[in-house]
Amino acid sequence: GATRPPGVASRLGRQGALLLALSALLPGCAALAPRPVTVAQRIAALPAEGLPLDAPVTLRWNDHLVPWIEAGTDRDLAFALGLVHYHLRGTQIAVMRAVARGRLAEIAGPLATDIDHALRILDFGHAAPEVERRFPPETRAFVERFVAGLNWAQAHTRRPPESGLLGLPREPYTVADMLAVGRLAGSDVDWFSYFTLLPGRGGPGYAQRFRRMREAGGSLATTQTRADATALATLLAGLSRSGSNSVAVAPAHSASGAAMLASDPHLSLNLPNLWLLVGMRSPSYHAVGLMVPGLPFLGLGRNPGLAWGGTNMRAASSDLFDVSALPPGEIREERTRIRRRLWFPAARTLRRTAYGPVMTDAAVVPHRPGDAIALRWIGHEPTDEITALLRAARARDGAEFRAAFAGFGVSAQNMLYADRAGGIGHVLATTLPDRPGLPETDPVLPATAANLAPWQRLIDARSLPALIDPPEGLLASANNRPPAAMAGGPPIGIFFSDDDRVERLRALLRARPRLTPADLTALQTDTTSPRAAGLAAGLLARLDALPGGAPDPALLAPLRGWDGDYAPDSRAALLFELLLRGVVRGVANAGAQGNSGDGLAGGRGPETQWAYITTFLLRDLDALPAEARATLLREAVAGMAEDAARWADWGTVHRLRVAHWLVNLPVLGRRFVQDSFPVGGSRETPMKTGHGLVQGPHEVSFGSMARHVSDLADPDANWFTLFGGQDGWLGSDAFADQVPLWRARRGIRMPLRPETVAAEFPHVTTLRPAP
């Protein structure tokens, strides 16, 4: 036949691609303009008849669509949990499975190809077959019934509005899928610190940079990376448990005379929330708390005997190995096929060694050309977090709770508890290689048998120190280095949070002789950073020492005496952040020009990590020649003056957005924003609301997104709040109905007494077995 001119063929190709894209989006139009759905309608939509149950199961719901499940057998409880999880968060679970399995390109198309390649190299499901094989019988039965509930709901309910937009298939879930999602949730936050170093490995200042990272306790890097590399880091950081506060109070410090516990995780602030609030009762389980959608255990909560919560330990759960010189026979290769939405499949190579998968084969992992670096991770070992957390939920006291974490691996957690007998404790819940030490000048180890040997000797919570009933009667954890009282064991990790948060938590706990649940709620919503106050005072002292004194005294006046409170109406917090931006940038530029004695090791751009700011900023500033320092400080004040005239206070620029995670879609994303409001807090305040250097108005994407307070004096004295709501269904009345509670510092009571449950969870669904 006749051939078309190249221009015509090109236009037809573009038109065809556009028509194909539009046709793919048509099924998702319901997500762009979702219909309002009431709580009653959502309850009625749950399949309730002809279920594969042993006996009827009672689901009680409150007005926030929080379920309280009463089952006659553990098997039926597990099935009902799976049913409810999918009903409330089906799309979220499907997307997490796609991430865990490296199948994002099936949703996002070719742009996600390299991200999928990296995810498949990480291989979150690597240990799943062996973990599943080793399950104790009771765990196996519970997990299989939970997955059966997920699959029943998927097969017997309407598809969520966004399913068509994302092209999600109705594909049965497996136990291996669930284990892969669990490993995804346990991603190692140290990866991001390590990977930022790799491009400069072996170059000038490399060892110094790593030493500075060790001293600061976190990444100092702002290396420019590919957009998809940034997307991968954001994706894993948002899903892994990389923040949180937890405190425990002994009876001597409690107004009720019983122990208390409060915990508030810090994760992504997009909706739906990464937690789901549930109550449950069966022969073995009687508890309330927070669950990760798609996983069958409580991450934090309360049962009649104790309450518990955790923070990411930031343990050294991974090692990097240089496998560049390994002989070909020690590297296994396989090809993987990546299906891509609206496009042809792609093939990529996966390489694995005894030292782990070769991460630098992924285009999105920054590294030097020619390097081959493998990652050995505890998440690739057959540790069993599900059994540990199921046992923890059944624990009757602190001793049983501590014993539950034998075999727990990732993500490493500081687990705090308070029990009914008045005990409080801190458990290091992790599995680690039995190393003699940790790297000091280069995180990448030579691929030798000696360096691999510690991975043949894994140790877990049974061999790690615990802190039980400390004399002070108070415990606090905020991703900080383990306290001195827990010293004496193997090295735990390299990178920890600045002590700003934990010191503030301890100060608030000590401020009152007898604490109440209201005091713990106030602690969770505190917006003060003592380190920020100290840094502001340090910068003012250096400005005052300039010839002629500090410039623009009226502008700087609100900063004098500032206590570090990032309240939304704080003028001082705004001024501090504007001044900080100028100073950090100035020091970075001076370091890049070689003018700073201990500068930023290569001048990779402005540092935005609080770890750097609190550890090195004043030191690096003081290392500059006096004239350069004076010029830098005056320019920083001049720069802040211009912006300070445009914005009134911290809340003017620091805002919290209420939005579905689909807000990240190009063009269409803005349709998924529901609200935006001023918010307090900062990087390391107890109520964390993370941000970088302040350029102007910005939106918080990471921080305090769930709260839990329990008083062991009363089985009903448990309060929880999610930033967002229970329901992931777009248009649901329960999609974001807890945001007003979150803002007003109020919680939803989650009682344990049956009569209280019946009174406060009035909407009843009876799940009936098939005849």
Side-chain angles (χ1 to χ4, degrees), residues 677-747:
F677 53 84
V679 68
S682 184
R683 308 168 187 85
E684 289 292 346
T685 53
M687 190 181 85
K688 180 193 281 273
T689 51
H691 62 95
L693 293 178
V694 173
Q695 313 293 318
H698 57 268
E699 289 166 334
V700 177
S701 61
F702 180 92
S704 177
M705 41 71 78
R707 296 174 185 147
H708 161 218
V709 174
S710 282
D711 187 340
L712 275 291
D714 182 353
D716 294 341
N718 315 294
W719 296 270
F720 295 82
T721 317
L722 301 178
F723 179 78
Q726 277 287 98
D727 203 2
W729 191 278
L730 284 166
S732 169
D733 284 351
F735 180 75
D737 61 322
Q738 293 183 47
V739 173
L741 299 179
W742 188 92
R743 296 184 69 181
R745 304 181 180 186
R746 295 166 50 208

Side-chain angles (χ1 to χ4, degrees), residues 514-583:
R514 295 280 182 172
L515 294 154
T516 67
D519 292 326
L520 297 188
T521 298
L523 172 148
Q524 291 176 333
T525 56
D526 183 79
T527 54
T528 298
S529 167
R531 294 285 175 94
L535 190 54
L539 291 174
L540 285 171
R542 286 156 177 80
L543 285 164
D544 290 339
L546 295 177
D552 209 337
L555 175 65
L556 296 173
L559 274 177
R560 299 189 182 277
W562 178 51
D563 63 357
D565 188 358
Y566 282 82
D569 61 356
S570 171
R571 175 72 173 169
L574 171 67
L575 294 174
F576 169 70
E577 287 293 335
L578 295 177
L579 177 61
L580 187 67
R581 178 194 65 191
V583 174

Side-chain angles (χ1 to χ4, degrees), residues 1-5 8-9 12:
T3 58
R4 297 185 181 94
V8 174
L12 288 174

Side-chain angles (χ1 to χ4, degrees), residues 630-646:
T631 299
L632 183 158
L633 288 170
R634 290 192 179 98
E635 288 177 350
V637 173
M640 72 179 282
E642 182 178 346
D643 288 336
R646 300 166 58 192

